[in-house]
Amino acid sequence: MADITVTINGNQITGHAGITILELAKENSIDIPTLCYCPDLPPMGACRLCVVEVAGSKALVGSCHTPISQGMVIQTHSPKVMATRKIIIELLLASHSGFCTVCDKSNICELRKLAMDMDIGLSRFQSKKRYFPIEDISPYITRDLSKCVLCRRCLQICNEVAKKRVFGIGYRGFNSKVIVDLDQPIDKEVCRDCGLCITSCPTGALSNPAQIGEEKKGTPLVIRG
Amino acid sequence: MPEKHIVLRNCGVINPEDLTSYTARGGFQALKKALSIGPEQIIKEIKESGLRGRGGAGFPCGLKWEFTRNTKEQSKYLICNADEGEVGTFKDHFILENDPFSLIEGIAIASYAIGVKKSYIYLRGEYHNLSGRLQNAINQAKENKFLTHVNIEIREGAGAYVCGEESALMDSIEGKRGEARFKPPFPTDKGLWQKPTVINNVETLMNIPQIILNGAAWFNQIGTERSKGTKVFSVSGDVACPGVYELILGSSLKELLINISQSDNIKVVQIGGATGRLVPGTAIDTPLSFESVLGAGSITVFNETRNIMDIVYHTMEFLAEESCGKCTPCREGTEVMKLIIDKFRCGNGTQHDMQLLTELSSAMSLASLCGLGQAAPNVITDSMQYFRDVYESLIPANLRGVKA
Ligand SMILES: Cc1cc2nc3c(=O)[nH]c(=O)nc-3n(C[C@H](O)[C@H](O)[C@H](O)COP(=O)(O)O)c2cc1C
Ligand code: SF4
Ligand code: FES
């Protein structure tokens, strides 16, 4: 396929027709933060963290799902983009009931890492907190949906890779929730132990049962604010 | 006179259950003419007429048709958007109730022009009472051999506001949860079942037969430079004569509210429903057109006895309830906005909150996935612009002027 030349942050960059802005940025070591994006799977465009500024478009554009087109002029880190991304993370933190200090995943939590990268401490917003009972009856997976940020990566990976279609979305608006069946706690009848969703989850919402502590790997992240 | 009946010309005149009363008023003559002039000529007429979508966004109708007609795909769809979920709109209900035949004729012409063999009417779930009458109109048109080229099916929604948004609507027809899709690809490219799809509002399609009959030049001379034709308005709230009125585009708000529906002491008017704009009573000369304010044509009037913060709060409450929940800015943002407005409502606002509202509004309109989240902050930004003193009066005295 023909190549396409675009301008990213003032530099002319060429990529294959059909790839997205995010893919082109990755190829050229430009770091655009993402949350709902799963490499190699169809994009969902849900979290809106990957937005960039494209000349001629009034609203910001989701880079994970927008293909490049000839002559596009893109800003990946303009003040407008940065302010917007920061607010998205702050909004997620505002309703996140996580107590990072006692969370098993705090060292490898992507939400925490994104917040740290953007120099966000405590959220300036106050919102309702999501509270759900922990689902720990399955021998293969424990779900603590109070920590879920609704990125839908578990859904995507279960549908597209494992092809099990265990999860769905229930309710709407702020009350949206990743549900199993008609919002039953997940058990071993519906889900076997492939564990793909657990590795895909950016926060502590999904975990392996009874492995508390074993996941604490990597350098600790600093909690600011 | 700013009132002119193009869309509503048959309402109250014909018997909506009987096709012969419609044909007696020239019904299906436009279809006959359309079939004789051919698809290219129809699309040319519609393009030249300057007809823009009446569902809120105002996209040029002819262009949409042309895009879809020119795709190489064999199967294409036409959807008539009769979801009418916008707060304070009831014009489509009025139209469907009184003149279902014009809509069927409009769909028949559009389907022929675009090359569509299957059309859907997506009917709002709450309008279940109309589905019998609509089906009857389709059946009668079929019996009289007016629908030999297209199959029209009615699909009923399940009561979600966001399913009026075109991509969520298509998900809903496909049998999925109604959630917005990212764009591009646009529906004209990959719409229903990933096939090229045209989605038009009821009122848009109602204009088609008259344009075909009377010609683009006739339609083109009505209205303003960039808003051609008429618009059907649903007027409700603090007015003496609420109801459905059809006015030439570009008529002023004053004309509609003072002369026709007779309201006084107007504090603020909400135009275009929950995602629409606020216009203060002092700006009563505002013209109603795509250049100015329009939306889906719902006009809700609030008089001096109403509390601004209540209006803003209830609008936000509605949007938070109806957000589909897919994208972060809208799902989380509407909830946060609702809580902040509630603080002001209780007299507990702060300067910091006003700053947060401004920043959040900008982020939501820039980054939300669909029109709901993008337009949700309108009511906040407009009320902060026109009623800043109200917000400031709701900050406790000891905190005024204090930056957090
Ligand atoms: C949240 C939301 C709700 C909408 N609701 C409706 C609706 O109830 N009826 C409608 O015709 N269009 C609605 N729209 C606009 C449609 O997305 C679409 O623009 C329209 O149906 C296109 O038809 P038109 O070109 O004839 O206006 C809505 C849009 C949004 C963002
Ligand atoms: S803006 Fe709101 S309604 Fe639209 S996709 Fe996002 S969450 Fe759903
Ligand atoms: S990563 Fe693009 S929207 Fe989530």
Side-chain angles (χ1 to χ4, degrees):
Chain A
M1 255 204 237
D3 281 352
I4 282 182
T5 304
V6 302
T7 312
I8 301 189
N9 303 338
N11 302 318
Q12 298 240 317
I13 296 177
T14 303
H16 293 302
I19 67 170
T20 61
I21 300 174
L22 180 68
E23 283 162 342
L24 182 66
K26 272 182 188 285
E27 282 172 13
N28 291 280
S29 312
I30 298 167
D31 185 30
I32 299 177
T34 61
L35 191 58
C36 69
Y37 172 74
C38 310
D40 303 326
L41 296 187
M44 290 177 284
C47 74
R48 312 311 294 158
L49 198 62
C50 68
V51 288
V52 296
E53 210 175 328
V54 173
S57 164
K58 230 168 74 187
L60 299 177
V61 169
S63 64
C64 71
H65 58 75
T66 307
I68 52 172
S69 60
Q70 187 62 38
M72 244 182 188
V73 180
I74 302 160
Q75 292 285 341
T76 60
H77 288 76
S78 67
K80 196 155 109 181
V81 170
M82 295 309 286
T84 305
R85 284 189 195 142
K86 208 170 155 172
I87 284 184
I88 293 175
I89 292 293
E90 281 186 279
L91 284 172
L92 285 173
L93 287 173
S95 61
H96 188 72
S97 63
F99 300 100
C100 305
T101 41
V102 294
C103 177
D104 288 327
K105 278 211 184 169
S106 59
N107 284 351
I108 53 169
C109 172
E110 279 181 41
L111 181 63
R112 208 56 256 175
K113 173 153 175 24
L114 287 164
M116 201 178 82
D117 290 347
M118 288 181 215
D119 236 351
I120 299 167
L122 294 176
S123 173
R124 288 172 299 160
F125 299 107
Q126 277 175 4
S127 190
K128 284 198 295 211
K129 298 278 184 195
R130 289 196 175 78
Y131 280 118
F132 298 104
I134 293 180
E135 297 174 11
D136 58 356
I137 52 176
S138 161
Y140 311 119
I141 175 170
T142 299
R143 295 208 312 160
D144 181 0
L145 289 181
S146 307
K147 295 174 183 168
C148 171
V149 289
L150 289 159
C151 70
R152 306 185 174 197
R153 269 154 54 172
C154 52
L155 227 116
Q156 190 77 341
I157 215 141
C158 190
N159 292 352
E160 302 284 335
V161 182
K163 309 263 187 214
K164 294 287 192 288
R165 303 193 154 265
V166 169
F167 301 114
I169 298 284
Y171 315 101
R172 63 185 183 192
F174 187 84
N175 299 322
S176 309
K177 183 185 174 193
V178 181
I179 57 168
V180 176
D181 288 346
L182 291 170
D183 200 5
Q184 257 87 52
I186 190 165
D187 60 21
K188 63 179 181 184
E189 297 304 321
V190 292
C191 161
R192 300 289 161 183
D193 59 346
C194 83
L196 284 174
C197 55
I198 299 176
T199 41
S200 78
C201 179
T203 67
L206 303 185
S207 52
N208 286 310
Q211 289 205 339
I212 297 164
E214 280 179 34
E215 289 173 337
K216 286 204 174 186
K217 287 173 189 146
T219 32
L221 299 173
V222 182
I223 296 167
R224 295 228 175 102
Chain B
M1 268 305 277
E3 267 193 284
K4 183 175 176 75
H5 286 180
I6 296 177
V7 173
L8 303 181
R9 65 186 287 275
N10 291 328
C11 292
V13 181
I14 63 161
N15 174 359
E17 301 277 347
D18 181 14
L19 189 114
T20 50
S21 73
Y22 177 63
T23 44
R25 274 191 49 93
F28 288 104
Q29 290 301 321
L31 177 63
K32 216 168 128 192
K33 183 172 174 193
L35 294 176
S36 70
I37 62 178
E40 269 86 25
Q41 190 60 29
I42 301 175
I43 292 184
K44 191 162 161 271
E45 286 284 320
I46 300 297
K47 268 169 75 180
E48 278 172 12
S49 74
L51 175 67
R52 292 171 66 174
R54 302 292 197 240
F59 192 84
C61 180
L63 272 185
K64 221 189 244 189
W65 290 15
E66 192 176 52
F67 288 150
T68 309
R69 178 171 175 80
N70 291 344
T71 52
K72 287 184 209 77
E73 281 278 357
Q74 280 305 306
S75 42
K76 304 168 197 174
Y77 299 98
L78 170 74
I79 303 173
C80 167
N81 188 344
D83 190 58
E84 193 162 57
E86 194 56 82
V87 181
T89 39
F90 39 85
K91 58 165 182 98
D92 291 348
H93 187 285
F94 183 82
I95 294 171
L96 294 170
E97 193 174 15
N98 289 295
D99 185 14
F101 298 112
S102 292
L103 177 66
I104 304 299
E105 188 175 1
I107 294 177
I109 297 173
S111 305
Y112 171 66
I114 306 162
V116 163
K117 293 188 187 61
K118 170 100 196 182
S119 298
Y120 291 92
I121 299 177
Y122 187 83
L123 188 65
R124 177 178 180 179
E126 290 88 333
Y127 289 179
H128 177 71
N129 58 329
L130 292 178
S131 89
R133 177 167 290 184
L134 210 47
Q135 189 61 53
N136 172 52
I138 296 173
N139 293 347
Q140 290 194 19
K142 230 188 234 165
E143 280 160 23
N144 287 283
K145 307 262 178 297
F146 291 126
L147 298 179
T148 46
H149 60 293
V150 60
N151 195 353
I152 306 178
E153 185 182 333
I154 302 174
R155 283 291 177 99
E156 288 185 41
Y161 170 60
V162 70
C163 287
E165 197 280 331
E166 48 194 13
S167 56
L169 188 155
M170 294 185 301
D171 269 10
S172 171
I173 292 186
E174 288 177 17
K176 299 183 194 143
R177 175 186 160 90
E179 282 183 348
R181 305 175 182 170
F182 52 76
K183 296 168 198 160
F186 291 95
T188 47
D189 236 355
K190 286 193 161 72
L192 191 61
W193 290 296
Q194 300 296 314
K195 302 290 182 200
T197 305
V198 169
I199 302 186
N200 275 138
N201 176 254
V202 172
E203 195 188 332
T204 316
L205 290 165
M206 292 288 290
N207 276 297
I208 304 297
Q210 292 307 313
I211 295 177
I212 295 299
L213 272 185
N214 301 314
W218 163 79
F219 192 80
N220 205 271
Q221 44 138 38
I222 308 168
T224 71
E225 172 155 15
R226 286 174 51 227
S227 316
K228 300 296 182 191
T230 59
K231 178 84 188 84
V232 182
F233 294 98
S234 327
V235 182
S236 63
D238 298 321
V239 296
C241 314
V244 176
Y245 301 98
E246 182 172 1
L247 264 65
I248 294 176
L249 278 165
S251 307
S252 76
L253 193 56
K254 188 169 167 186
E255 208 103 51
L256 178 60
L257 293 185
I258 312 284
N259 302 0
I260 298 177
S261 49
Q262 299 170 12
S263 53
D264 50 14
N265 282 330
I266 301 173
K267 183 176 209 165
V268 65
V269 188
Q270 192 167 31
I271 301 183
T275 48
R277 319 276 345 186
L278 294 181
V279 173
T282 47
I284 193 83
D285 286 320
T286 308
L288 294 162
S289 64
F290 289 108
E291 295 96 318
S292 159
V293 284
L294 196 60
S298 73
I299 313 265
T300 316
V301 181
F302 299 92
N303 68 17
E304 291 293 348
T305 63
R306 309 289 166 179
N307 179 340
I308 272 295
M309 284 334 255
D310 282 349
I311 300 171
V312 178
Y313 180 77
H314 289 302
T315 304
M316 250 13 256
E317 195 181 25
F318 171 81
L319 292 168
E321 164 84 26
E322 294 295 337
S323 159
C324 81
K326 180 172 180 178
C327 77
T328 319
C330 168
R331 180 187 69 230
E332 308 288 333
T334 47
E335 191 67 31
V336 169
M337 281 184 163
K338 191 179 93 183
L339 295 175
I340 298 182
I341 295 298
D342 200 32
K343 270 175 84 179
F344 277 95
R345 223 161 54 122
C346 307
N348 283 331
T350 63
Q351 291 282 348
H352 181 58
D353 286 332
M354 289 178 70
Q355 175 63 26
L356 286 183
L357 279 179
T358 313
E359 284 184 36
L360 183 54
S361 298
S362 141
M364 280 170 68
S365 51
L366 284 173
S368 291
L369 185 56
C370 84
L372 197 161
Q374 287 167 6
N378 283 352
V379 67
I380 304 251
T381 43
D382 287 355
S383 60
M384 287 221 287
Q385 180 181 346
Y386 301 122
F387 301 94
R388 206 172 180 88
D389 51 327
V390 178
Y391 278 84
E392 275 161 3
S393 72
L394 292 168
I395 299 174
N398 58 340
L399 292 178
R400 279 184 205 151
V402 177
K403 287 252 183 278

